Amino acid sequence: MSEQPLIFDLGKRPPTTRAIALQIRERGEAALDDAQRRADAARYQEITCKSALNAVEGMPFNWTLNPYRGCTHACHYCFARRYQTQFELGPDDHFSSVIFVKTNLVEVLRKELDKPSWHREQVAVGTATDPYQPIEGHYKLTRGSLETLLAARTPIGLVTKGPMVVRDAALLADLGRQAGCTVYMSVPTVDEDAWRALEPGTAPPLQRLRAVRQLRDAGVNAGVLMAPVVPGFTTQPARLEATIKAIADHGAAFMGANLLYLKGGTKDHFMGFLQHEFPHLVESYDRLYAGAYAKNDYVKAVRGVIDMLQQRYEVRGRRSRSEESVPGESNEPAYEEKAAPEQAAFTFEPKP
């Protein structure tokens, strides 16, 4: 008698994050044989996660949510590049060409939010990857996560460079009304030369700003992060002014700005990028970034120009946490007044 097929063919379950990390350590890139190639030439490795929400400390939020790992936006300054080294993958091409997809994220998130112990704390979406990078159009994990967060009335802050966020404008507006939602669109500069050099896989800056306008028109509390401000690329007063004027012209609810932060694998990649593409800047960067942060006098000078331009174009900054009480946050000093690490972007805005 011939063997009968299973009535329910469950197929092969994607490996866990830990399992794929161990396989890569043992076999190198050969462990990614099942990764799918798509039109953008990146490889997409489906994985399963045991938890969706990640507890963090020392940030202005306690929980993060990242549907993907790695990002085809390929920004040369991205702080998340160094996280790729945890998979025995480098912070260079692997970061933008090998993307891990947490296929069961929404299911796991729903179970976590249904627990009696969940107190509807603020969740930061997109701290280690862009939740609206192009592959989201296929998997829709960000969309599913937002629907789940809305059902659980959990407030969020979301940062992205992806104009695809407008697809979910109505959902984000509902989330804002029922729990609290702030969208941060990252637009470091509107200068096209700097954009092409620093962010090769992203949508044009003005397209991102038009998305901010659409979100605002839909009732979403949406603003702009001019972050990072990159010395030698976007710090010229004329470029700063053009960007801040464009932010004001597109009706952003607020804007914030952070100077470039370089650490670990991110610093290794960025300095390699400079050496290859802009060697005349290497010596200046070596002096300016002896550590992870630019020298304090330089930071103050750049911030002085930004503050002046914000006043000129009447673009309000993000309110500090010492000035107001935001759900899920303590009344400690404003986060940016500290030696702010790269995730300072998430100083959450209150509901409008």
Side-chain angles (χ1 to χ4, degrees):
M1 183 176 179
S2 62
E3 184 177 343
Q4 297 297 313
L6 292 174
I7 296 175
F8 298 105
D9 184 359
L10 299 179
K12 183 179 178 181
R13 182 177 175 82
T16 64
T17 306
R18 177 177 175 79
I20 198 68
L22 291 173
Q23 291 173 25
I24 292 172
R25 185 173 301 172
E26 294 172 0
R27 299 168 50 207
E29 287 189 56
L32 300 172
D33 287 345
D34 291 336
Q36 301 176 36
R37 289 190 180 274
R38 297 190 177 272
D40 58 7
R43 286 181 290 174
Y44 293 89
Q45 174 66 57
E46 294 185 349
I47 60 175
T48 57
C49 59
K50 292 185 177 179
S51 61
L53 294 170
N54 304 298
V56 296
E57 297 180 355
M59 300 294 173
F61 47 84
N62 295 324
W63 302 95
T64 65
L65 179 72
N66 292 287
Y68 310 99
R69 187 159 186 160
C71 184
T72 54
H73 285 162
C75 301
H76 288 295
Y77 53 71
C78 184
F79 64 84
R81 282 183 176 274
R82 71 177 190 267
Y83 299 153
Q84 206 79 336
T85 59
Q86 298 171 7
F87 283 93
E88 302 290 322
L89 296 172
D92 295 316
D93 291 341
H94 285 141
F95 175 75
S96 56
S97 64
V98 178
I99 312 300
F100 296 98
V101 180
K102 302 175 183 178
T103 55
N104 65 332
L105 182 89
V106 176
E107 174 189 351
V108 174
L109 176 63
R110 186 175 297 112
K111 292 177 180 177
E112 291 176 342
L113 298 180
D114 282 344
K115 292 180 179 179
S117 58
W118 178 247
H119 298 302
R120 297 176 181 172
E121 296 181 71
Q122 203 115 34
V123 174
V125 181
T127 56
T129 188
D130 197 309
Y132 286 104
Q133 59 183 293
I135 197 61
E136 164 62 15
H138 174 75
Y139 284 101
K140 298 181 176 62
L141 294 175
T142 300
R143 170 84 184 185
S145 297
L146 293 176
E147 291 171 341
T148 303
L149 289 160
L150 174 60
R153 296 182 180 273
T154 294
I156 71 160
L158 183 150
V159 67
T160 184
K161 295 180 189 293
M164 192 192 305
V165 66
V166 300
R167 177 199 67 186
D168 298 332
L171 177 56
L172 291 163
D174 282 346
L175 190 49
R177 286 189 291 269
Q178 297 192 38
C181 170
T182 297
V183 173
Y184 301 84
M185 181 64 74
S186 172
V187 185
T189 185
V190 295
D191 183 84
E192 293 203 354
D193 290 335
W195 159 59
R196 290 192 183 97
L198 295 168
E199 303 177 338
T202 61
L206 290 180
Q207 186 179 349
R208 288 178 248 170
L209 289 177
R210 287 194 292 271
V212 172
R213 169 66 75 182
Q214 289 179 262
L215 291 173
R216 293 282 288 149
D217 290 344
V220 179
N221 187 34
V224 174
L225 295 177
M226 193 170 69
V229 178
V230 184
F233 289 88
T234 69
T235 47
Q236 298 87 341
R239 290 185 176 183
L240 291 173
E241 181 167 13
T243 302
I244 292 173
K245 181 179 185 301
I247 291 169
D249 290 344
H250 285 82
F254 59 88
M255 68 155 283
N258 291 317
L259 269 288
L260 178 68
Y261 168 90
L262 292 173
K263 185 178 181 180
T266 300
K267 187 170 188 177
D268 294 340
H269 171 84
F270 191 83
M271 295 305 294
F273 156 70
L274 291 183
Q275 186 66 58
H276 187 261
E277 301 289 341
F278 301 92
H280 62 286
L281 293 177
V282 171
E283 184 178 350
S284 296
Y285 263 81
D286 282 338
R287 291 197 304 268
L288 186 60
Y289 283 91
Y293 302 94
K295 292 185 176 179
N296 195 49
D297 57 347
Y298 182 86
V299 174
K300 286 183 177 180
V302 174
R303 282 197 177 279
V305 175
I306 292 171
D307 290 346
M308 178 270 292
L309 291 170
Q310 281 189 254
Q311 292 178 18
R312 176 180 298 175
Y313 291 101
E314 299 181 341
V315 186
R316 76 172 179 87
R318 290 172 292 148
R319 281 173 275 183
S320 75
R321 299 166 69 203
S322 59
E323 294 174 338
E324 59 191 12
S325 177
V326 181
E329 296 185 353
S330 64
N331 290 321
E332 60 183 292
Y335 193 62
E336 289 185 314
E337 293 174 4
K338 304 177 184 178
E342 68 276 12
Q343 291 172 340
F346 289 95
T347 304
F348 289 115
E349 288 290 303
K351 291 186 289 185

